[in-house]
Amino acid sequence: MKFKQIIILFIVLLLLSACNPGIEPKEHFGKIYSVALDSIMEQDDALNGDMEFIAIDMSNFDEVNETDKNEILNYFNGKYKVKVMDATFEQLKEMGLYNPDTMSLDGVLLRIEKVDIKSNNNIFFEGSKYRSGLGAVGVEVTVHYKDNNWKSKETNITWVS
């Protein structure tokens, strides 16, 4: 009788561990958003020419905490070696970083408009990279957790101006 109980307990534990969703994306938003934003940044390299800064509009990053936001800013600062800031388009204008004569920024503005957590290891983003009214791209990115790392699985440009 005791042997049956041990076998049943073992089977239940095995089933529970198989149903475990594994990684919790919310615990890795700094890394996940960095991967998604970097995938957007890599689109249309011509927009990066002579950029003086990278602004990331985090005003709608509702589920991202301050630690994750700092992780994102530090990632971009380390990779691109330019000034990196959390700012909206309006804030960039107020700081004098928008040139009204050329109607462009002296850097690029990255935005995430939509986030959809499809599963614990698959997250879909819609975002954009803006330099000017005639220099911007819309991008869809799927970030995937595989081999203990968050990576860009698929990136598609959806519009160009």
Side-chain angles (χ1 to χ4, degrees):
M1 186 70 170
K2 202 165 192 124
F3 182 70
K4 276 186 175 179
Q5 290 174 336
I6 291 173
I7 295 296
I8 291 172
L9 180 62
F10 177 74
I11 291 171
V12 168
L13 288 174
L14 185 63
L15 288 173
L16 287 175
S17 67
C19 295
N20 185 357
I23 192 148
E24 177 60 44
K26 292 178 182 180
E27 295 173 6
H28 301 271
F29 273 162
K31 176 66 175 170
I32 294 167
Y33 274 71
S34 293
V35 169
L37 288 162
D38 198 31
S39 292
I40 295 169
M41 185 67 189
E42 291 173 353
Q43 304 306 305
D44 199 345
D45 284 340
L47 299 178
N48 301 354
D50 297 324
M51 73 177 169
E52 297 176 12
F53 65 85
I54 297 171
I56 302 171
D57 182 350
M58 298 187 196
S59 62
N60 64 344
F61 288 14
D62 299 329
E63 295 188 30
V64 179
N65 63 37
E66 289 303 314
T67 302
D68 291 332
K69 288 179 181 181
N70 286 329
E71 181 180 346
I72 295 165
L73 295 173
N74 289 335
Y75 172 83
F76 276 85
N77 190 26
K79 181 169 182 179
Y80 292 97
K81 308 296 186 210
V82 295
K83 181 178 180 178
V84 180
M85 65 189 94
D86 173 5
T88 64
F89 182 73
E90 293 76 22
Q91 291 168 328
L92 293 172
K93 285 171 100 173
E94 290 171 9
M95 291 186 273
L97 299 173
Y98 175 78
N99 185 333
D101 296 331
T102 62
M103 297 182 0
S104 65
L105 296 172
D106 298 325
V108 296
L109 172 63
L110 302 177
R111 290 192 42 121
I112 298 284
E113 284 89 25
K114 179 181 177 186
V115 179
D116 187 6
I117 300 175
K118 300 285 187 183
S119 66
N120 281 354
N121 65 347
N122 209 24
I123 303 169
F124 174 80
F125 292 86
E126 284 182 26
S128 62
K129 177 180 175 180
Y130 177 89
R131 183 78 185 245
S132 71
L134 297 176
V137 293
V139 182
E140 292 178 342
V141 179
T142 300
V143 176
H144 183 72
Y145 187 76
K146 187 174 181 182
D147 301 329
N148 294 322
N149 203 6
W150 290 99
K151 300 174 186 176
S152 175
K153 180 179 179 183
E154 186 177 351
T155 304
N156 297 308
I157 293 178
T158 56
W159 56 264
V160 176
S161 72

